[in-house]
Amino acid sequence: MSLELNRVLILDNIDQICENILKQAGIEVTIRPKLTTEDLIKELNVHDGVIVRSATKITTEVLENVRGLKVVGRAGTGVDNINVDAATRKGILVMNTPGGNTLSAAEHTCSLICSLSRSIPQACMTLKGGAWDRKKFMGNELYGKVLAIVGLGRIGKEVTDRMKSFGMRVIGYDPIVSPETAASWGVEYLTLEKLWPLADYITVHTPLIPQTKYLINEKVFRSCKPTVKIVNVARGGIVEEKALLEALNNGYCGGAALDVFEEEPPKDLTLVQHPKVNKYTSLEMGIICAYSKVICTPHLGANTYEAQKRVAVEIAEQLVAMSQGKQLIGV
Ligand code: NAD
Ligand code: MLT
């Protein structure tokens, strides 16, 4: 399929290389910062392609008001910020770059698992606050501990490889991966019911779809070891935040590392600042946060120069390939 592309709009701070590749292919490029919905619609009506990361939302309202747009490119994996059904109804193609940020997201997950096991962010904060507290920060080795990976796709597989090198026992579940394939990666394939009670750490690497919404919920916490630690570098809402908070407060969860949230940025900071400290001064708050069981990052899984360059190249090359009638990859 070949679609003529003359003008492409790039939003959301995509790496410069994206513009270069499009221009080399003779495509006119406009770069804009974040736009209001009204301005976005105006711009989309004078372009036939748009490339976004995650800040810009290509909603039904936006799509219903544009004419002539042929393709929406997402420089990243998830297409949650694009209403794919509404785009498809209008005959607009949606493409992503599955895989371009896999290694960065996997490395971020592994860093969070390591940080949880040794309370690295908390220990750093107490030392910066002037305390030399070695007793508080007795950690655990990862060697011999059980890591449960839910979602053995691109990122889940890379996390497996890396955490196995720490000597972790990896167990996992994915409806489209066979037990034999999992075994060939060194993963013991188990049903979710069997997996929960064994896990010292659980990391989720699924998309957020109806089947995975609140996959980690109150019932799951009650099936787990009370010391279980949860990691979410996939999508907010796979771990139910209310249930996580209750589990932390009631001794059913030993810690959590969150890169993604049900609402981004989160307006309710109860979980991020857990335990709640708003009656303290900012210095005391720093020290108290240092004793938190929750560590968090603001959706940084794919935030590396390497991943951002890779997704920028991939999405640009896909748009060029499309305009030249070559085979398409992505959504
Ligand atoms: P992928 O498609 O390669 O793998 C996802 C896997 O989840 C698939 O194998 C699928 O079969 C499995 N799955 C679906 N439903 C399941 C269920 N009910 N139970 C268990 N497994 C199930 O995707 P990926 O590239 O590995 O990405 C995983 C997640 O990470 C996505 O949500 C993606 O948006 C997110 N992500 C986040 C960041 C970040 O910056 N934090 C970066 C990249 C990707
Ligand atoms: C993705 O889905 O690719 C990630 O959430 C990362 C990002 O949005 O940059």
Side-chain angles (χ1 to χ4, degrees):
M1 178 171 71
S2 164
L3 285 180
E4 198 184 326
L5 275 189
N6 295 312
R7 298 193 70 196
V8 170
L9 174 66
I10 300 183
L11 300 164
D12 301 345
N13 293 321
I14 313 275
D15 190 284
Q16 172 72 42
I17 198 158
C18 183
E19 178 185 354
N20 299 349
I21 293 172
L22 293 171
K23 281 186 170 164
Q24 271 160 23
I27 297 169
E28 198 183 315
V29 177
T30 314
I31 313 253
R32 289 273 182 271
K34 193 161 167 35
L35 297 170
T36 61
T37 303
E38 198 186 331
D39 289 342
L40 178 62
I41 291 169
K42 269 191 210 147
E43 287 287 0
L44 292 181
N45 273 315
V46 291
H47 289 87
D48 37 25
V50 60
I51 298 180
V52 296
R53 190 175 163 191
S54 50
T56 299
K57 314 287 174 216
I58 308 287
T59 59
T60 311
E61 183 196 348
V62 169
L63 290 162
E64 274 172 358
N65 285 290
V66 299
R67 262 148 221 72
L69 188 70
K70 294 172 187 159
V71 59
V72 179
R74 159 79 161 98
T77 308
V79 285
D80 337 41
N81 56 321
I82 303 160
N83 192 319
V84 180
D85 288 341
T88 309
R89 276 197 300 276
K90 289 206 72 167
I92 299 168
L93 207 60
V94 178
M95 288 175 167
N96 66 347
T97 56
N101 55 26
T102 297
L103 295 180
S104 290
E107 287 184 7
H108 196 66
T109 306
C110 298
S111 308
L112 290 176
I113 295 171
C114 294
S115 298
L116 274 176
S117 72
R118 304 298 288 272
S119 303
I120 293 168
Q122 297 94 323
C124 174
M125 282 174 77
T126 50
L127 186 50
K128 281 174 189 280
W132 183 261
D133 197 344
R134 299 178 70 216
K135 280 203 200 95
K136 170 75 192 165
F137 295 114
M138 282 296 284
N140 284 107
E141 288 182 350
L142 291 171
Y143 181 83
K145 299 297 182 304
V146 178
L147 172 64
I149 303 190
V150 183
L152 294 164
R154 282 176 291 260
I155 298 170
K157 163 74 169 59
E158 295 298 333
V159 171
T160 301
D161 293 347
R162 282 154 184 74
M163 296 323 292
K164 280 197 76 70
S165 72
F166 275 74
M168 294 193 90
R169 174 182 164 200
V170 180
I171 60 177
Y173 170 76
D174 189 308
I176 66 161
V177 173
S178 71
E180 293 73 28
T181 303
S184 74
W185 300 338
V187 179
E188 290 168 55
Y189 191 95
L190 295 172
T191 60
L192 291 176
E193 290 67 32
K194 291 207 171 127
L195 179 144
W196 305 134
L198 296 175
D200 295 304
Y201 292 79
I202 298 172
T203 182
V204 291
H205 297 288
T206 69
L208 177 66
I209 49 178
Q211 296 87 327
T212 60
K213 174 108 198 248
Y214 295 161
L215 185 80
I216 308 288
N217 53 41
E218 189 198 340
K219 194 167 161 233
V220 168
F221 280 114
R222 289 187 184 266
S223 314
C224 291
K225 294 180 187 175
T227 49
V228 71
K229 294 184 169 72
I230 307 291
V231 181
N232 188 1
V233 180
R235 280 290 179 268
I238 298 171
V239 176
E240 186 180 5
E241 290 179 359
K242 185 170 167 279
L244 172 61
L245 193 60
E246 277 168 17
L248 288 163
N249 286 335
N250 299 329
Y252 289 107
C253 177
L258 305 172
D259 184 48
V260 288
F261 301 87
E262 288 182 22
E263 181 181 25
E264 293 187 6
K267 285 200 194 81
D268 178 354
L269 294 178
T270 320
L271 193 52
V272 166
Q273 295 180 340
H274 180 271
K276 195 105 181 84
V277 289
N278 54 6
K279 63 179 189 290
Y280 298 94
T281 65
S282 61
L283 180 67
E284 286 164 332
M285 181 163 140
I287 297 288
I288 287 160
C289 281
Y291 294 99
S292 172
K293 287 191 219 160
V294 179
I295 61 175
C296 45
T297 47
H299 204 141
L300 296 184
N303 248 42
T304 63
Y305 292 108
E306 293 85 354
Q308 288 314 307
K309 190 164 185 176
R310 235 180 264 126
V311 295
V313 169
E314 286 177 18
I315 199 64
E317 287 180 345
Q318 285 178 51
L319 259 66
V320 171
M322 187 190 93
S323 70
Q324 296 172 349
K326 296 189 184 145
Q327 199 187 350
L328 303 180
I329 330 159
V331 175

